[in-house]
Amino acid sequence: MVEIELDGKKVEVPEGSMVMHAAEKAGTYVPHFCYHKKLSIAANCRMCLVDVEKAPKPMPACATPVTQGMIVRTKSDKAVKAQQGVMEFLLINHPLDCPICDQGGECQLQDLAVGYGGSSSRYTEEKRVVLAKEVSPIVSLAEMSRCIHCTRCVRFGQEVAGVMELGMIHRGEHSEITTFVGATIDSELSGNMIDLCPVGAITSKPFRYTARTWELSRRKSVSPHDSTGANLVVQVKGSKVMRVLPLENEEVNECWLADRDRFSYEALNSDERLTMPMLKQGGQWKAVDWPTALEYVANGLKLIKAEHGAAAIGALATPHSTVEELHLLGQLVRGLGSENIDYRTRHADFDTSSGGVRWLGLPIAALSTLQRVLVVGSFLRKDHPLFAQRLRQAARHGAQVHSLDAVEDDWLITLASRTTVAPSAWPQALAAIAAAVAAERGVPAPAEAEVTDAARAVAASLLSGERKAVLLGNAAAQHPQASTLLALANWIGEQTGASVGYLTEGANAVGAQLVGAVPGAGGFNAGQMLSQSLKAYLLLNVEPELDAADALRAAKAVQGAEMVVAMTAFRTAAVEYADVLLPIAPFSETSGTYVNAEGRVQSFYGVVKPQGETRPGWKVLRVLGTMLGLPGFSAETSEEVRAQALGDVAQLASRLSNKTNAAVRVAPAATANALERIAEVPIYWSDAIVRRAHSLQLTNDAMPPVAGLPAALWERLGLKDGDAVRVSQGEASAVLPARLERGLPANTVRVPAGHPLTSALGAMFGGLDVAKA
């Protein structure tokens, strides 16, 4: 440690720290623009000049290393005059447009100009103008004349997002921040540039000119999209959500948000909101009151139970539903005598032989400090943007990251190795790594496999280093041999000392398991419920035609039912097959709880009043349970429901386990001639809310799906750019634009799932045929 004197106070900081770090530790504010605790030091705004004893001139606090016995004054005449001089230069070219600037009221430049700026300017020359640039549907670069060249946005792209989408061109007064050769900003983390910009040069396009910051109320919430459980500040005007910002939490999302978390709020105010209970009568939808709708549901369920037995009733939910909703849905179904409930609508393997709750296997914050990582079956950047960001930081500090996948997507991480094989060959590839570990350690392998040089390299890497993890992605969890992949991962983890975990899908997959939103003894899992028609379906936030592992079969199943009750915040495709639509509140209009990938329980309150006749899902289920005369539906508040569902939160950690008793059965990979499907769920089609967020749907990540073909198949079909192909699965087919993807394994075709244009196709991991259209 090094001790310095700062404004008369002794401060101890680690060797190599800067004066700015010492000031932060001492609680002394030094004015700054370009410095940010999460970014590298640029020292190009010079606002943080301080007076260092024996230095001939003021020094930048952010870039001056501390030395033993250094004496620093941050408020001396010399320091303040230097800071005032810098401020005068910064304001020379800055436009005087504070009254119409979106950043007005929360602008760093405004705040510091009050403290360090003059009351009038000596500058009489013409100010420079930087032309607006169209770069993104969610990030606006329309006001770049305000830019002070702090380069925070540039450094964020390089260091956090992993891609340099913005940079500085020209020199002197002609310098400007822009994209290169007309490129667009496409990072799934791009919205963080808006937060980082200290002067309102980069602004939010959806929020632009819709409200002033001082009109907004600020309320805490939790993101409903992925398993990070990002903490949010939801800003509200009247009864409308106007903007979403990150709430800093180092253990979860640090100070970042994925664009999905930040901009999906547009859907909450969309025209597609369902705001009245609806009943289908004579093929026509009619708005009714709540007692009528719930009475119809209760009577229908009683009738179906009486005629066909309780086993003819099934409930399907998504992992984006809250703990309270999932608990009461389970209580309702089980109260009727059925065990048919499941949230795993996209899974193909439902082995639960171990009974443990699948989770990340380590704290989220630990991802940033790992030294060895093997990621199996994950579209990492798009499935888990903030986990990818943490692994990117680990790689920047020397971690060896290995990928086992079916595609060669750029994770914007320097990979130590990449194994790319068809999904059906993942178990063999993982078994080969296990066999290489076994050979290295002199123990029997868990399965026979041909050990390749690539497998040996991964094995050697996992056997070295200290902090290690084997992480299974969404595609590995949804794989037809998911239990074998987990068993092999556990074996590798035991032999190498690595933790084993699932990145987990949805905001609440861990919570869904904790409250038993999975079938009990004799109950049907989601795959069984959607492959044969039950007589009644209760759908909680589910759109079967988009959320199921086999969309075609799921659509047929619900269309063949006698009664379908859709509990949803939106007018979905359920208008085609449902009998009742019950408008339940999205996360912004209800209180609830999510349990994120690391098992962290995070509760939140509604931030606005429910729209129209919308009601919180847990209240709807509670009233329905009471009308059916079932026990356990007397809770008056969501806190009471949570206490019933989770019990003692301190004891939950003991239930988290990725251990499995499943046998390792490595099935042979598909034959070289048979084509198999690789199906990711596009980032902005992953759940009901993002599907209806207008600005997100304009991004490149939300473009209509294309069929990605490997080089050999592309040549065999004689395709050229712009051609379309007919993709067939069984009797169903879809015509899609074709794209050459050289990194794909020879016997695979990449066709996204979860999208209306591909919802007519079959299983996500099924075989398919492709012909030139």
Side-chain angles (χ1 to χ4, degrees):
M1 299 292 278
V2 175
E3 186 179 81
I4 71 166
E5 185 185 302
L6 190 126
D7 292 341
K9 287 194 284 190
K10 299 282 188 209
V11 187
E12 270 199 354
V13 286
E15 200 172 338
S17 298
M18 301 296 160
V19 170
M20 183 70 87
H21 301 139
E24 281 179 345
K25 188 171 181 185
T28 300
Y29 179 72
V30 177
H32 61 272
F33 293 112
C34 68
Y35 171 78
H36 189 277
K37 62 184 178 182
K38 293 286 183 184
L39 303 176
S40 62
I41 287 165
N44 54 9
C45 77
R46 316 309 278 184
M47 191 65 213
C48 64
L49 293 175
V50 292
D51 180 4
V52 178
E53 195 166 277
K54 295 185 182 168
K57 57 183 181 178
M59 306 289 283
C62 69
T64 303
V66 294
T67 56
Q68 187 64 37
M70 177 187 265
I71 298 173
V72 180
R73 299 179 188 89
T74 67
K75 295 176 177 63
S76 68
D77 278 353
K78 187 176 175 181
V80 171
K81 278 204 172 99
Q83 290 160 0
Q84 288 171 340
V86 170
M87 178 55 74
E88 184 174 18
F89 275 122
L90 286 174
L91 293 176
I92 273 179
N93 268 310
H94 200 79
L96 295 172
D97 62 352
C98 294
I100 62 124
C101 178
D102 255 2
Q103 194 101 331
E106 53 186 11
C107 172
Q108 227 173 314
L109 186 67
Q110 235 176 15
D111 294 343
L112 294 183
V114 170
Y116 301 91
S119 56
S120 60
S121 174
R122 295 184 280 174
Y123 184 75
T124 56
E125 289 76 13
E126 197 172 312
K127 294 200 174 203
R128 74 184 196 129
V129 174
V130 180
L131 296 177
K133 296 162 186 69
E134 188 57 50
V135 295
S136 163
I138 50 183
V139 174
S140 171
L141 263 57
E143 311 291 350
M144 292 305 284
S145 295
R146 299 173 186 155
C147 178
I148 61 166
H149 304 154
C150 68
T151 69
R152 279 185 179 186
C153 54
V154 178
R155 285 174 287 144
F156 169 80
Q158 288 175 298
E159 297 163 19
V160 180
V163 55
M164 186 173 170
E165 293 181 304
L166 291 177
M168 192 181 290
I169 57 171
H170 307 312
R171 301 186 69 182
E173 69 168 337
H174 302 294
S175 301
E176 58 180 280
I177 301 283
T178 182
T179 59
F180 291 106
V181 289
T184 52
I185 295 175
D186 298 314
S187 165
E188 61 283 354
L189 300 173
S190 64
N192 293 292
M193 295 178 186
I194 300 164
D195 296 342
L196 287 170
C197 183
V199 298
I202 300 178
T203 53
S204 163
K205 199 171 271 189
F207 175 69
R208 207 166 141 73
Y209 300 144
T210 58
R212 306 310 311 237
T213 178
W214 52 85
E215 299 175 307
L216 303 175
S217 305
R218 288 155 178 75
R219 292 158 193 176
K220 296 178 183 178
S221 192
V222 179
S223 169
H225 302 302
D226 65 33
S227 57
T228 310
N231 291 194
L232 311 177
V233 174
V234 182
Q235 299 192 335
V236 172
K237 183 179 178 182
S239 59
K240 191 174 177 183
V241 174
M242 302 301 292
R243 183 165 63 162
V244 172
L245 298 175
L247 175 65
E248 189 168 338
N249 185 335
E250 278 300 311
E251 300 300 309
V252 181
N253 55 304
E254 300 172 85
C255 55
W256 312 125
L257 276 188
D259 290 349
R260 175 166 56 184
D261 306 324
R262 183 185 298 270
F263 296 107
S264 65
Y265 72 86
E266 283 186 296
L268 307 173
N269 310 316
S270 78
D271 295 338
E272 291 185 54
R273 282 294 302 273
L274 178 69
T275 56
M276 288 285 291
M278 308 282 282
L279 264 184
K280 192 182 272 184
Q281 295 175 332
Q284 298 294 313
W285 283 106
K286 292 191 177 146
V288 295
D289 57 19
W290 273 103
T292 305
L294 292 176
E295 213 169 282
Y296 179 91
V297 175
N299 291 338
L301 291 173
K302 286 176 189 169
L303 190 66
I304 285 167
K305 181 181 175 181
E307 288 184 3
H308 306 285
I313 300 168
L316 292 161
T318 70
H320 305 280
S321 305
T322 65
V323 158
E324 292 79 359
E325 291 165 347
L326 291 164
H327 169 70
L328 290 176
L329 182 67
Q331 293 279 88
L332 183 80
V333 173
R334 292 188 169 105
L336 288 167
S338 171
E339 283 292 341
N340 305 336
I341 176 172
D342 210 343
Y343 76 95
R344 300 165 296 174
T345 55
R346 289 200 177 107
H347 286 221
D349 179 355
F350 297 90
D351 178 83
T352 52
S353 55
S354 65
V357 171
R358 306 288 183 240
W359 70 300
L360 185 61
L362 73 174
I364 288 173
L367 292 173
S368 306
T369 61
L370 290 172
Q371 294 177 339
R372 304 286 184 270
V373 194
L374 171 60
V375 183
V376 182
S378 176
F379 300 92
L380 184 65
R381 260 180 70 197
K382 306 304 180 183
D383 288 348
H384 301 94
L386 294 175
F387 289 175
Q389 184 275 128
R390 284 194 180 269
L391 291 178
R392 194 170 297 127
Q393 301 315 313
R396 290 184 75 227
H397 292 108
Q400 294 177 11
V401 181
H402 305 272
S403 154
L404 168 53
D405 214 330
V407 296
E408 291 191 357
D409 286 355
D410 188 357
W411 290 353
L412 304 174
I413 295 173
T414 304
L415 293 178
S417 79
R418 187 196 284 279
T419 304
T420 310
V421 292
S424 63
W426 289 353
Q428 287 99 314
L430 201 56
I433 295 169
V437 170
E440 198 75 30
R441 298 214 56 207
V443 296
E448 281 186 33
E450 185 184 333
V451 180
T452 61
D453 289 343
R456 284 191 196 91
V458 176
S461 174
L462 289 174
L463 284 163
S464 64
E466 290 175 3
R467 299 179 297 279
K468 304 174 259 197
V470 179
L471 301 174
L472 299 163
N474 290 359
Q478 295 157 359
H479 195 277
Q481 288 183 266
S483 53
T484 290
L485 291 174
L486 177 60
L488 287 167
N490 271 322
W491 190 91
I492 292 168
E494 284 163 17
Q495 296 297 323
T496 61
S499 67
V500 175
Y502 280 102
L503 295 170
T504 76
E505 55 192 312
N508 199 30
V510 176
Q513 297 170 78
L514 286 168
V515 301
V518 288
F524 289 153
N525 59 49
Q528 292 166 324
M529 280 190 260
L530 289 172
S531 60
Q532 56 193 321
S533 251
L534 299 179
K535 297 300 177 186
Y537 288 97
L538 296 169
L539 305 179
L540 178 63
N541 292 318
V542 173
E543 299 177 66
E545 64 288 347
L546 298 176
D547 293 329
D550 189 329
L552 181 64
R553 194 180 274 184
K556 283 181 181 169
V558 291
Q559 283 160 5
E562 285 181 20
M563 184 171 86
V564 177
V565 181
M567 290 173 270
T568 171
F570 302 98
R571 292 175 184 272
T572 65
V575 294
E576 303 293 329
Y577 52 77
D579 301 280
V580 195
L581 297 176
L582 301 179
I584 62 168
F587 80 104
S588 55
E589 298 168 20
T590 180
S591 53
T593 303
Y594 292 130
V595 185
N596 71 0
E598 67 178 357
R600 181 183 294 257
V601 177
Q602 300 189 108
S603 293
F604 55 91
Y605 295 102
V607 296
V608 288
K609 288 178 182 171
Q611 287 190 19
E613 291 298 307
T614 301
R615 295 289 181 268
W618 68 269
K619 285 188 176 180
V620 173
L621 289 162
R622 183 196 65 188
V623 174
L624 196 51
T626 305
M627 290 173 84
L628 286 163
L630 304 176
F633 287 86
S634 57
E636 290 293 317
T637 64
S638 63
E639 287 83 359
E640 285 179 52
V641 181
R642 184 186 68 214
Q644 284 176 17
L646 297 178
D648 183 0
V649 171
Q651 303 299 314
L652 293 182
S654 62
R655 296 173 57 192
L656 304 177
S657 170
N658 293 311
K659 296 289 177 216
T660 177
N661 304 323
V664 175
R665 293 193 183 91
V666 180
T671 60
N673 298 329
L675 292 176
E676 56 183 285
R677 181 177 177 184
I678 301 169
E680 84 264 37
V681 178
I683 182 171
Y684 301 137
W685 281 91
S686 58
D687 64 71
I689 295 177
V690 288
R691 288 172 193 144
R692 293 163 178 87
H694 172 69
S695 297
L696 291 178
Q697 291 305 319
L698 299 176
T699 62
N700 282 344
D701 275 324
M703 290 293 105
V706 300
L709 276 64
L713 182 59
W714 181 272
E715 287 163 18
R716 193 167 82 234
L717 295 175
L719 297 171
K720 57 185 185 296
D721 287 344
D723 284 352
V725 291
R726 181 174 296 280
V727 180
S728 307
Q729 277 190 293
E731 295 168 17
S733 66
V735 175
L736 300 171
R739 181 175 65 204
L740 173 62
E741 288 197 39
R742 295 191 182 278
L744 290 181
N747 60 330
T748 62
V749 178
R750 183 173 184 170
V751 181
H755 193 285
L757 294 180
T758 58
S759 63
L761 296 174
M764 291 170 68
F765 287 90
L768 43 68
D769 293 306
V770 178
K772 189 172 179 179

